[in-house]
């Protein structure tokens, strides 16, 4: 067949008549007119087409192709907005047409504009870190095209290796993903808190506990929310072996927002950190079962567009871990809990949610003996004890919340939340020990005696609240406000004493009187109510050229407590800037006035009369105060074609109205009086990314210095951890998705300590550094052939083994103090868990 290269239209001056011609190039001319043969194939006269030529059909086809080619060269303007599923603007999302090599980014209002060339079909892709990408196909677009795109949060999956992308942080709160630690080794069974403990600026010194310190704060300075409701921890827990399951169930978590400082006004009156948990609403039938030597869990959920119901139960026992303690005996810890989350959405305007939790923690202990060696290489002491007695503790907790949400329109929502918390706690023990303290090299007895510890502590607490929230969104603003009323009633009855007899003399020895070394009596009732109000706005804007993006969050919080008749006002502000010269860089700054409103522990003021210490509630106490100033830098980059994010933060906290406290294991004892001031300052660094292709890992490094002015002396705060390094590393065998490995490493400075029942100025010693490495290996024993299949059934079976405390380091959590008749004291370390293996199996449906 002859091949025609060019079509010519010869038109006369009247513009009404023309002729069609085909140019057939010769072998030498390559289609030039002067070297080819022009063949007439038709003509048009007076707008009438004459089709008498044999090549007319070919000419018309070629003419059509020319017209389409001309159209494809035309351009059109694509505009619109990109929103998330809650109709918030998605800033800095990428809008691209890969075929044409063109792309742009949305501004902080989610708006975009992109000029493209028209074609039969134009494929436009919308993507953003932390969301599932979406594509739209435009058919022969012309002129101006406007689109509104909704992106949904999610992750990308490559051969069943989950790579979860992260949102850009533009406020004081960062988003964390629990899937990173899904198969990680665990000692406490509290996955969310263990993830928090691995973050920069956060520390813990007990692998058995879910509690944590943030930037020099105490355990009580961290607020925790579940679906906008503040939740509470048990009050009487004094050690990690007593502590049961956290109220946060990792199987039910959808999102985690955590801030180590500079957080928004919506978060309550705590002055160190804020943790906000959102439970997910299952959209299909799903389940998982997990069992190990340390406990087990079960989760089942189902749902559709209108109704969803999630249920989870957990069981935990740390008996195997506690047997690695140096204190031998019969340990019987048993912890249970059940949670449910029910959500009903009859239409787009209404939503009804209910969350319920029942938890019971039992700890029974019958000690027999203990032998501990401590000291230096050339000065080793041995501490031997034989015990009589027992300890029986029980903590029962009930929690429930009911939320009614009304979507007034697409931009405004009103929510009414009612919640109730009840806990009944009992801590009882009678333990007698007969001890020998010996100098190992010489076998000299340094101390021989008997001690007896007694406690009958009972506490009942009830907290009820009603909260009204309003959320209004516009293109550039997200305004939130809330009013909360709380009713609190706490009743305690406590009696504790400790007797020490060294070489036949009761300590303290006066020669005439008989005193216990420590005695406490308390019978208190707290009945009060609080009023809390906040309003805040998140304003997203850009400069005139729309090249630099800003996110400004500002708000104010007000609170009043009837017990001490104190009102506090807390203004807060933060700013994030994405500069024009590099969209991968974010500068953040935050400042605010934060208060630690007293709750119950801080109120207990002590007075000693005739050797007995009485604890009463101080209604003159004021809220502790902290001024936060924070500067931060985020940088996203690629190394070896893998995504990484580097974060650096510098902070300074000016502290005043402090209530001094001491820490023994997990028990925080306050003086009950505002008599200190101080500061905390430091640097936090975090590198997050794919250290190994397809898996997420991170490393953090923190430096901190704290100071407290106490009775004319400058002393470090009880949580003065000067440095800390945390590593979370994941890996897999190349070429297979069946084997996965997770490693957790912690190396942190020891905390100050001193003799018990003494003032803070005697905390002159520092514990050794906390060092721990946990490693876990998991093997996928079963994998469903089609992982994307939506029918309910068994998807995966994972079998794993963990080595806890791989290096076998003996970490010190607290000290037991021995006093001889000469009043010389010896600090005997209480070591934490040793090396232990844990086997586990997980089934996913």
């Amino acid at each position: 067949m002859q091949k025609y290269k060019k079509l010519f239209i010869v038109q006369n001056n009247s513009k009404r008549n023309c002729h069609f011609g085909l140019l057939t190039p010769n072998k030498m001319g390559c289609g030039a007119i002067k070297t080819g043969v022009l063949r007439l194939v038709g003509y048009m006269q007076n707008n009438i087409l004459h089709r008498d030529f044999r090549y007319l059909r070919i000419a018309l086809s070629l003419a059509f192709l020319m017209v389409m080619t001309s159209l494809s060269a035309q351009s059109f303007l694509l505009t619109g907005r990109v929103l998330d599923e809650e109709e918030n603007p998605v800033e800095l999302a990428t809008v691209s047409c890969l075929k044409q090599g063109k792309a742009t980014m949305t501004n902080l209002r989610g708006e975009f504009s992109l000029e493209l060339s028209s074609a039969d079909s134009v494929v436009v892709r919308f993507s953003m870190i932390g969301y599932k990408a979406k594509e739209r196909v435009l058919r022969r677009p012309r002129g101006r095209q406007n689109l509104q795109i909704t992106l949904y949060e999610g992750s990308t999956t490559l051969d069943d290796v989950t790579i979860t992308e992260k949102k850009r942080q533009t406020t004081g709160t960062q988003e964390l993903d629990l899937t990173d630690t899904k198969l990680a080794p665990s000692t406490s069974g509290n996955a969310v808190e263990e993830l928090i403990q691995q973050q920069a600026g956060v520390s813990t010194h007990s692998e058995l506990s879910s509690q944590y310190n943030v930037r020099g704060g105490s355990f009580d300075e961290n607020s925790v929310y579940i679906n906008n409701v503040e939740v509470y921890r048990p009050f009487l827990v004094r050690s990690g072996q007593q502590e049961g399951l956290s109220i946060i169930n990792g199987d039910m978590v959808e999102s985690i927002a955590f801030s180590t400082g500079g957080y928004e006004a919506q978060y309550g009156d705590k002055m160190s950190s804020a943790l906000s948990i959102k439970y997910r609403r299952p959209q299909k039938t799903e389940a998982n079962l997990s069992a190990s030597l340390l406990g087990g869990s079960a989760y089942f959920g189902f749902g559709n567009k209108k109704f969803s119901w999630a249920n989870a139960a957990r069981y935990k026992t740390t008996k195997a871990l506690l047997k690695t303690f140096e204190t031998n005996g019969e340990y019987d810890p048993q912890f249970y809990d059940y949670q449910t989350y029910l959500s009903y959405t009859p239409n787009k305007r209404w939503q009804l949610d209910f969350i319920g939790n029942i938890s019971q923690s039992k700890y029974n202990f019958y000690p027999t003996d203990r032998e501990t060696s401590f000291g230096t290489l050339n000065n080793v002491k041995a501490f031997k004890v034989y015990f009589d007695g027992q300890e029986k503790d029980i903590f029962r907790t009930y929690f429930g919340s009911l939320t009614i949400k009304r979507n007034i329109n697409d931009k405004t929502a009103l929510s009414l939340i009612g919640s109730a918390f009840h806990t009944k706690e009992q801590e009882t023990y009678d333990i007698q020990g007969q001890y020998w303290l010996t100098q190992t090299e010489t076998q000299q007895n340094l101390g021989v005696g008997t001690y007896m510890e007694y406690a009958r502590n009972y506490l009942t607490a009830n907290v009820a609240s009603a909260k009204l929230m309003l959320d209004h969104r516009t293109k550039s603003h997200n305004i939130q406000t809330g009013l909360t009323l709380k009713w609190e009633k706490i009743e305690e009855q406590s009696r504790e004493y400790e007797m020490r007899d060294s070489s036949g003399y009761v300590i303290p020895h006066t020669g005439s009187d008989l005193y216990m070394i420590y005695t406490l009596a308390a019978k208190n009732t707290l009945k009060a109510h609080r009023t809390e109000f906040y309003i805040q706005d998140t304003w997203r804007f850009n400069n005139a050229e729309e090249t630099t993006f800003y996110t400004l969050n500002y708000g104010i919080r007000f609170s009043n407590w009837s017990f001490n008749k104190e009102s506090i006002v807390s203004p807060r502000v933060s700013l994030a800037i994405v500069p024009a010269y590099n969209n991968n860089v974010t500068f953040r700054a935050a400042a605010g006035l934060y208060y630690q409103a007293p709750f119950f522990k801080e109120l207990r003021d002590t007075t000693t009369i005739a050797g007995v210490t009485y604890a009463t509630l101080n209604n003159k106490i004021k809220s502790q105060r902290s001024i936060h100033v924070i500067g931060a830098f985020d940088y996203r980059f690629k190394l070896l074609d893998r995504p990484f994010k580097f974060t650096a933060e510098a902070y300074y906290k000016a502290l005043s109205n402090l209530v001094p406290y001491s820490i023994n294991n997990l028990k925080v004892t306050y003086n009950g009086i505002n008599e200190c001031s101080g500061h905390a300052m430091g640097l936090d660094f975090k590198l997050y990314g794919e250290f190994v292709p397809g898996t997420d890992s991170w490393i953090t490094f923190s430096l901190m210095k704290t100071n407290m002015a106490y009775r004319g002396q400058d002393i470090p705060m009880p949580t003065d951890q000067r440095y800390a390094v945390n590593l979370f590393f994941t890996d897999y065998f190349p070429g297979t998705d069946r084997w996965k490995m997770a490693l957790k490493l912690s190396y942190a400075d020891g905390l100050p300590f001193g003799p018990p029942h003494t003032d803070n100025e005697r905390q002159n010693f520092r514990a050794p550094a906390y060092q721990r490495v946990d490693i876990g290996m998991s093997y996928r024993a079963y994998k469903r052939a089609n992982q994307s299949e939506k029918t309910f059934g068994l998807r995966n079976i994972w079998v794993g083994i963990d080595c806890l405390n791989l290096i076998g380091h003996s970490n010190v959590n607290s000290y037991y103090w021995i006093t001889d008749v000469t009043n010389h004291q010896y600090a005997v370390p209480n070591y934490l868990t040793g090396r232990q293996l844990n086997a586990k199996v997980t089934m996913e449906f």
Side-chain angles (χ1 to χ4, degrees), residues 309-590:
W309 191 12
N311 298 270
R314 293 180 293 176
Y315 167 70
K316 171 184 169 182
T317 177
T318 54
K319 183 181 295 186
L321 282 173
L322 299 182
K323 286 184 177 180
T324 65
F325 278 7
E326 293 188 334
T327 300
N328 300 314
E330 182 182 348
Y331 292 91
D332 186 21
Q334 297 183 27
F335 312 112
Y336 310 87
D337 88 329
Y338 166 75
Q339 290 194 39
T340 184
Y341 176 34
L342 186 149
S343 181
Y344 176 57
T345 309
N347 52 55
K348 292 183 178 181
R349 295 302 181 192
W350 292 96
Q351 181 177 325
L352 181 70
D353 291 343
F354 171 77
I355 296 178
N357 175 69
I358 300 173
S359 175
Q360 176 173 285
S361 301
K362 286 185 176 181
Y363 176 71
N364 297 330
F365 176 42
Y366 305 89
T368 58
D369 63 273
R370 165 184 174 176
E371 186 169 0
T372 302
S373 296
F374 64 99
T376 63
L377 183 64
N378 300 320
N379 184 13
V380 181
K381 297 177 176 62
F383 179 63
K384 180 72 175 180
V385 190
Y386 292 97
F387 295 103
D388 288 318
Q390 63 181 352
E391 177 177 354
K392 289 188 175 182
D393 307 325
I394 185 168
F395 306 87
R396 290 192 181 97
T397 302
Y398 304 91
F399 168 77
S401 70
L402 179 66
T403 302
I404 302 174
K405 182 179 180 180
R406 166 69 175 177
N407 295 313
I408 300 173
N409 52 47
D410 293 339
K411 298 180 179 180
T412 307
L414 184 68
S415 300
L416 178 62
I417 306 173
S419 67
F421 168 81
H422 169 80
T423 181
K424 190 171 185 179
E425 304 174 18
Q426 169 186 309
E427 181 188 41
T428 62
Y429 53 84
D430 296 272
I431 297 178
Q432 176 181 280
Q434 295 179 333
Y435 65 85
W436 288 261
L437 182 63
T438 306
Q439 186 72 40
T440 303
E441 295 86 357
T442 63
Q443 297 301 311
Q444 177 187 1
N445 286 332
L446 302 177
V448 179
T450 301
Y451 69 85
M452 183 172 182
E453 296 178 339
Y454 170 94
R456 294 292 185 272
N457 297 327
Y458 305 94
L459 183 141
T460 301
N462 296 281
V463 180
S465 69
K467 185 175 185 178
L468 185 66
M469 295 175 56
L470 179 67
D471 190 309
H472 178 68
R473 304 167 188 269
T474 65
K475 283 187 176 182
S476 303
H477 294 268
N478 180 14
I479 302 172
Q480 296 172 286
T481 184
L483 174 66
T484 305
L485 302 177
K486 291 183 180 179
W487 298 268
E488 306 160 351
K489 184 178 181 181
I490 302 175
E491 299 174 302
E492 74 153 341
Q493 185 170 345
S494 298
R495 185 73 179 183
E496 300 179 7
Y497 69 78
E498 182 177 342
M499 184 273 291
R500 293 186 189 175
D501 181 353
S502 179
S503 301
Y505 293 93
V506 174
I507 299 173
H509 178 63
T510 65
S512 58
D513 299 316
L514 180 64
Y515 290 113
M516 301 292 181
I517 195 169
Y518 167 69
T519 304
L520 174 69
K523 187 176 182 180
N524 296 303
T525 298
L526 169 66
K527 191 174 182 180
H529 64 267
R530 298 178 193 263
T531 303
E532 300 174 353
F533 172 80
Y534 74 87
I535 183 170
Q536 68 176 45
D537 176 31
T538 302
W539 179 23
R540 295 177 174 87
F541 59 98
N542 45 257
N543 60 356
E545 295 79 17
E546 296 192 355
T547 54
T548 301
F549 302 99
Y550 303 89
T551 300
L552 177 66
N553 178 277
Y554 54 97
I556 192 168
R557 186 176 185 88
F558 168 83
S559 179
N560 175 269
W561 195 30
S562 65
F563 182 77
N564 62 355
K565 299 179 176 57
E566 181 189 28
S567 296
I568 53 178
V569 178
S570 175
R572 307 172 187 182
V573 63
S574 67
L575 175 67
I577 303 174
V578 181
Y581 62 83
N582 193 337
N583 284 325
N584 291 317
V585 171
T586 305
F587 297 102
R588 292 183 286 111

Side-chain angles (χ1 to χ4, degrees), residues 661-679:
Y661 63 91
S662 60
I663 302 175
N664 184 20
N665 203 325
L666 296 181
K667 185 177 182 179
V668 181
T669 303
Y670 292 88
N671 288 15
I673 303 174
N674 303 98
E675 57 176 331
C676 291
S677 61
H679 69 263

Side-chain angles (χ1 to χ4, degrees), residues 15 28 93 180 190 194 207 214 315 323 328 377 499 501 506 521 561 585 615 693 700 711 771 829:
K15 298 184 181 181
M28 301 295 296
D180 291 332
N190 300 312
E194 289 188 348
E207 61 271 10
V214 178
Y315 167 70
K323 286 184 177 180
N328 300 314
L377 183 64
M499 184 273 291
D501 181 353
V506 174
W561 195 30
V585 171
T700 67
R711 297 178 182 176
Q771 307 172 46

